[in-house]
Amino acid sequence: MSPRRAHKFRTAAGALTALAVVVLAPTAGAPAATAAPTVAAPDIPLANVKAHLAQLQSIATANGGNRAHGRPGYLASVNYIRGKLDAAGFTTTLQTFTSSGATGYNLIADWPGGDPNQVLMSGAHLDSVTAGPGINDNGSGSAGVLETALAVSRAGLQPTQHLRFGWWGAEELGMIGSKYYVNNLPATERARISGYLNFDMIASPNPGYFVYDDDPTLEGVLKDYFASIGVPTEIETEGDGRSDHAPFKNAGIPVGGIFTGAERAKTSAQATKWGGTAGQAFDRCYHASCDTSANINDTALDRNSDALAYAVWTLGTAVPVPPGPTFENATDVTIADNTTVTSPITVSGLTGNAPATLKVGVDIKHTWRGDLVIDLLAADGTAYRLKNSSGSDSADNVLATYTVNASSEPANGLWRLRVQDVASGDVGYIDSWKLTF
Ligand code: TRP
Ligand code: ZN
Ligand code: CA
């Protein structure tokens, strides 16, 4: 036996007077939910997104052929988008900064309401390069984010999270606008952003369907959408850190996004699964004068705009799942040295199997918890290991909630908590334990 630290022995006897079995009835009318309910997302009208792109093209044409930082086509683009948002009831803010001797602008739009401590942000860079009008890069993301925001307004959405949308300036000069935004957010505001979703190039003419693999929740929601329409996706690898999610990620904010590809060539395997042309760039007009209204794949624009809206609705309107029915046994069970004990809970009144997220709440008083091996036993004797012993974990007590995938066990029946004390010198008792379905 390993040497033991000196400790004060504490008896459990005092607690042994509480002998009543307390089995709580299931919470009335609360079925075990499996997913957070959300408000169904709308289908974003492709024609509306394309109408915004036509406006951005006209703005470029009227302003020397581009919408670049420091050029008049950029501010005209900001004014177009801001006008739509103001008319739809958003609170808009223009943030100015200076880069390469010119004033730059970030446009921020807040949808009133939602939890101010949970801000879900979606954004796109609005500037083009000087070489062309930048309709895929990044009129596409800008228009998709705009139309999603307008759809929020049309729906009169009352989200659980606070929704914010951003259009960044001077991305093409090195993410200047988004860096400026993140760096100038007070730390308390930064901590309130639950996630940032980025949309930079979402309608490449020879499209791929790439999802950023950063935050698993944001990635999962976007992938869920593509799975629901039967479109395979790949992890985005064309350049992590090459767009406006990077400053957010660097500040510790969860990020995600989608992308249809830039200068890299589509492989034959990708052409087989997505269609399009193998051996050709996803966007042959990337950063070129031909990135015009003609440089847009409508199917990709439609799917990605819908994915964007799905993510905003799903993440922004999810309400926490109420706890399911709970059964508890608060009868103390003494754990003598080097013994195995069990404590029962009989569950009745439920239907079907236990959930994949059965919660097992354990409250054990013990003078050296490393002595303890703890399992949940199903009615048929199947053991689900909750905790192993440890020669080095000298702390007192086990007060923990474990999640068990018990979906192959009937919910009703006899469940037991089994506690094995596997080392000498320390003892305790099961104070209470409970199952939440
Ligand atoms: N505007 C980006 C850039 O010029 C486009 C881009 C390339 C991109 N690779 C990316 C955007 C990967 C998102 C993710 O760098
Ligand atoms: Zn871009
Ligand atoms: Ca012991």
Side-chain angles (χ1 to χ4, degrees), residues 360-364 374 386 398-402 417 430 432-434:
V360 187
V362 175
D363 183 355
I364 294 175
I374 309 175
L386 305 179
V398 178
L399 185 62
T401 300
Y402 303 95
L417 187 73
I430 302 172
S432 68
W433 72 288
K434 64 184 176 185

Side-chain angles (χ1 to χ4, degrees), residues 214 261 278 287 337 340 359 376 401 419:
D214 282 289
H287 286 185
D337 238 359
T340 297
K359 300 276 187 260
L376 173 70
T401 300
V419 180

